[in-house]
Amino acid sequence: MMKTALDEQAQSSLLLRKLGRIDDLTDDEERAVLNLPMKVKVFDADVDIIRDGDRPSDCAVVLSGFVCRYKILPDGKRQILGLYIPGDMPDLQSFPLQVPDHGVGTLARSNVGLIPHECLQDMLRSYPNLTKAFWRETLIDAAIAREWMIGLGRRSAYQRTAHLLCELHLRMMSVGLARSDGYDLPLTQNELADTLGLSTVHVNRVLQDLRREKLITLRGSALHIPDTRALQAAGEFDPAYLHLTD
């Protein structure tokens, strides 16, 4: 599929906004990112972009939709290891590692841009500041993984659910995809369970608790947060690990 004007806009407003957090990008650096050859593909929900053990030749950029990194256990259960929104590159690890040890798939219908590894490598050789920006995004991804590990190991189900809802709220606000009082959450309770390491029944109970305490309302995929600070307090949420303001 050919790249369209809408895809160009998605790149500049989402990917460039994320990369520009480390430093102001020069005009040449912005053009270098926009000129990367990108094949845009549309993936339905619950479709693999990369399978565990593949040898991908491209890096993916989420242009719309919702994507996850996951691992399937021997008993067939799935653990979601990361959630990725428009502007994110969920498989940058495949660039240096070549063979990923996990899968990357969609949770909702998603537009994904595929950038050949060799083209990304050529750009990074020419623009060291962009290398720094991509490296920083990889480090933030690792920081999020550490925070999730703390949640799985030390936070209650109630806390980790509130914490995840707060994290997604701030991440989506940072790319202009959320309001100050809520956002669209296209995850089923089963997918939340796979993310939080809980049963679907337990997720349902926790969501009911959060509703009862008037911390959230959830109608379909529309999540409303009446009091952001109260929800953050419930999840013991400190956004420092997202590095959104430095």
Side-chain angles (χ1 to χ4, degrees), residues 16 46 54 106 148-149 194-195 204 243:
L16 287 179
D46 304 314
D54 279 353
T106 59
W148 282 28
M149 185 182 299
D194 287 349
T195 302
N204 183 268
H243 300 276

Side-chain angles (χ1 to χ4, degrees), residues 36 95 115-126 131:
L36 282 168
F95 182 35
I115 302 171
H117 285 169
E118 62 269 21
C119 297
L120 186 58
Q121 182 66 68
D122 289 344
M123 182 190 72
L124 297 180
R125 285 196 189 102
S126 300
T131 301

Side-chain angles (χ1 to χ4, degrees), residues 158 202-218 226:
Y158 178 90
H202 203 162
V203 167
N204 183 268
R205 288 198 197 108
V206 171
L207 291 176
Q208 288 183 32
D209 289 342
L210 292 171
R211 287 190 186 102
R212 186 165 47 251
E213 294 170 17
K214 298 186 177 0
L215 293 175
I216 66 167
T217 60
L218 187 60

Side-chain angles (χ1 to χ4, degrees), residues 13 19 22 27 34 38 62 84 88 96 108 110 141 166 176 231 233 246:
S13 63
L19 294 177
I22 188 65
D27 290 343
L34 290 174
M38 178 183 290
V62 183
Y84 298 92
D88 288 341
S110 303
D141 198 27
C166 291
L231 185 62
D246 56 354

Side-chain angles (χ1 to χ4, degrees), residues 109-215:
R109 184 176 173 85
S110 303
N111 284 6
V112 177
L114 301 175
I115 302 171
H117 285 169
E118 62 269 21
C119 297
L120 186 58
Q121 182 66 68
D122 289 344
M123 182 190 72
L124 297 180
R125 285 196 189 102
S126 300
Y127 297 95
N129 191 50
L130 286 175
T131 301
K132 184 180 178 184
F134 276 95
W135 177 231
R136 183 178 186 275
E137 289 304 315
T138 303
L139 293 176
I140 292 173
D141 198 27
I144 292 171
R146 287 192 294 273
E147 196 68 23
W148 282 28
M149 185 182 299
I150 293 169
L152 289 170
R154 295 300 180 186
R155 293 191 180 103
S156 69
Y158 178 90
Q159 289 171 328
R160 80 181 77 150
T161 302
H163 194 281
L164 178 66
L165 297 179
C166 291
E167 176 190 302
L168 290 174
H169 187 207
L170 283 192
R171 286 173 61 190
M172 294 182 78
M173 281 191 69
S174 75
V175 291
L177 295 176
R179 308 174 309 280
S180 61
D181 63 349
Y183 57 100
D184 187 58
L185 180 69
L187 298 180
T188 66
Q189 290 189 16
N190 187 57
E191 290 163 346
L192 281 171
D194 287 349
T195 302
L196 295 165
L198 302 169
S199 69
T200 305
V201 171
H202 203 162
V203 167
N204 183 268
R205 288 198 197 108
V206 171
L207 291 176
Q208 288 183 32
D209 289 342
L210 292 171
R211 287 190 186 102
R212 186 165 47 251
E213 294 170 17
K214 298 186 177 0
L215 293 175

Side-chain angles (χ1 to χ4, degrees), residues 82-94:
L83 294 172
Y84 298 92
I85 64 174
D88 288 341
M89 298 184 75
D91 67 335
L92 265 178
Q93 296 179 27
S94 73

